[in-house]
Amino acid sequence: MSNENKSSIHDFDVEMICEYFSGLKRQGPGSPDTTRKAASFITGLNKNSRIADLGCGTGTQTLTLAEAVPGHITGLDLFPPFIEIMEQNIAEAGLQERITAVVGSMDDLPFNRGSLDLIWSEGAIYNIGFRRGINEWRDYLDIGGWLAVSEVSWFTDERPDEIADMWQQAYPEIDTIPAKVAQMQEAGYAPLAAFAIPDSDWKEHFYAPMRPVQEAFLAKYGDSEAARGFIENQRWEEDLYNRYCQYYGYVFYIGRKI
Ligand code: SAH
């Protein structure tokens, strides 16, 4: 690929990355409006419904989801510092009765099979891969239970080499919307809705808040080559998004276990 000097996020010190993203409200593209829009497709939940938000990060979308649908939500994330911040956010919002935050991994869920009415996941299923995630998580849903996940997707069949190469390196499972919808249907869901999240969810809600965090991060860790490389990589990703956002973006996929 054309940017061999730029390492993937996985090569950097995890603690440093965690600190960077802890300073942000969101760890992935999205917005309260998008969370509410996706939630508007979900019907039939009540106060006894069991919901999981997988890869919840610091829980910004979990709080929005709790206002949009009834039921009890368990937010799960691999990184303890994110869960600590989330617990503070839950307490500040007075939502302790509605949301529980747990450290855990999306490939080893702490739920009983068939016990969930809704599995939610924004910008996180790529960590185990879309196909694997939707197939494995289905076991934890009750019949008629809902799946609502956002996943990076191609909007067109053709795309310029530069962006194709970047995604081939970062996440080869990226695919077109019809391909992802077909995967949902094959996995045993009725794929009832799919919509692309707006550009503003990336530009205003994800990348813009990063800029002051990047400045502060460089002021603190600018001596470290790894830290400088990490920030350079973030800026490169933003630049690619600005140049190629007509070719890819996050798409919310909503389905129901049949
Ligand atoms: N849903 C949040 C965070 C998205 S970023 C938002 O939209 O803002 C992806 C999240 O997945 C990160 O918080 C990361 O810590 C988490 N993650 C990565 N691997 C994971 C795993 N195996 N199990 C659970 N969470 C994981």
Side-chain angles (χ1 to χ4, degrees):
M1 82 183 258
S2 57
N3 272 285
E4 271 144 2
N5 57 326
K6 298 198 173 77
S7 313
S8 97
I9 198 166
H10 306 291
D11 298 338
F12 293 102
D13 180 53
V14 171
E15 264 179 41
M16 203 155 70
I17 297 169
C18 245
E19 182 179 332
Y20 176 85
F21 281 104
S22 298
L24 293 162
K25 274 185 89 170
R26 297 199 60 100
Q27 290 73 46
S31 67
D33 279 350
T34 293
T35 298
R36 285 190 282 267
K37 180 172 177 172
S40 75
F41 290 96
I42 315 288
T43 55
L45 299 186
N46 59 51
K47 67 176 179 25
N48 298 319
S49 296
R50 313 305 295 180
I51 301 165
D53 182 2
L54 306 180
C56 60
T58 57
T60 298
Q61 77 292 321
T62 323
L63 267 58
T64 305
L65 182 63
E67 286 164 7
V69 297
H72 185 274
I73 309 175
T74 302
L76 175 141
D77 202 278
L78 191 59
F79 287 117
F82 290 168
I83 291 298
E84 277 169 34
I85 294 170
M86 180 168 179
E87 281 170 341
Q88 288 165 18
N89 293 338
I90 294 168
E92 274 166 31
L95 286 168
Q96 298 95 321
E97 304 292 308
R98 297 281 320 283
I99 306 174
T100 307
V102 300
V103 175
S105 184
M106 57 176 74
D107 60 9
D108 184 20
L109 296 178
F111 307 109
N112 292 327
R113 312 254 151 183
S115 69
L116 297 173
D117 301 295
L118 168 61
I119 293 179
W120 196 268
S121 184
E122 292 195 33
I125 195 171
Y126 72 89
N127 285 298
I128 57 166
F130 182 81
R131 200 188 270 274
R132 178 179 170 199
I134 62 172
N135 278 283
E136 290 187 7
W137 298 352
R138 185 177 176 280
D139 289 347
Y140 295 89
L141 286 170
D142 195 2
I143 299 289
W146 295 87
L147 176 81
V149 299
S150 68
E151 161 83 342
V152 70
S153 309
W154 294 124
F155 297 151
T156 56
D157 280 331
E158 307 277 327
R159 74 266 336 175
D161 285 349
E162 186 181 18
I163 195 63
D165 290 350
M166 185 282 252
W167 279 110
Q168 183 55 37
Q169 176 94 354
Y171 184 57
E173 221 185 304
I174 186 173
D175 211 332
T176 60
I177 297 170
K180 297 276 177 192
V181 168
Q183 287 171 18
M184 282 185 83
Q185 186 144 343
E186 280 160 27
Y189 299 90
L192 297 177
F195 69 91
I197 75 170
D199 285 2
S200 54
D201 282 12
W202 295 74
K203 292 179 178 171
E204 288 157 35
H205 292 273
F206 189 52
Y207 287 129
M210 280 189 187
R211 284 183 214 124
V213 172
Q214 288 170 353
E215 291 308 325
F217 194 83
L218 286 176
K220 191 169 170 190
Y221 296 116
D223 290 346
S224 151
E225 197 179 321
R228 288 197 307 277
F230 171 68
I231 298 300
E232 194 188 329
N233 201 54
Q234 295 300 310
R235 290 174 173 169
W236 173 63
E237 282 183 15
E238 178 179 358
D239 175 56
L240 283 177
Y241 182 73
N242 287 332
R243 285 192 286 129
Y244 294 117
C245 59
Q246 68 272 41
Y247 296 102
Y248 72 98
Y250 264 98
V251 173
F252 238 111
Y253 295 95
I254 297 155
R256 205 162 188 189
K257 176 170 170 174
I258 47 174

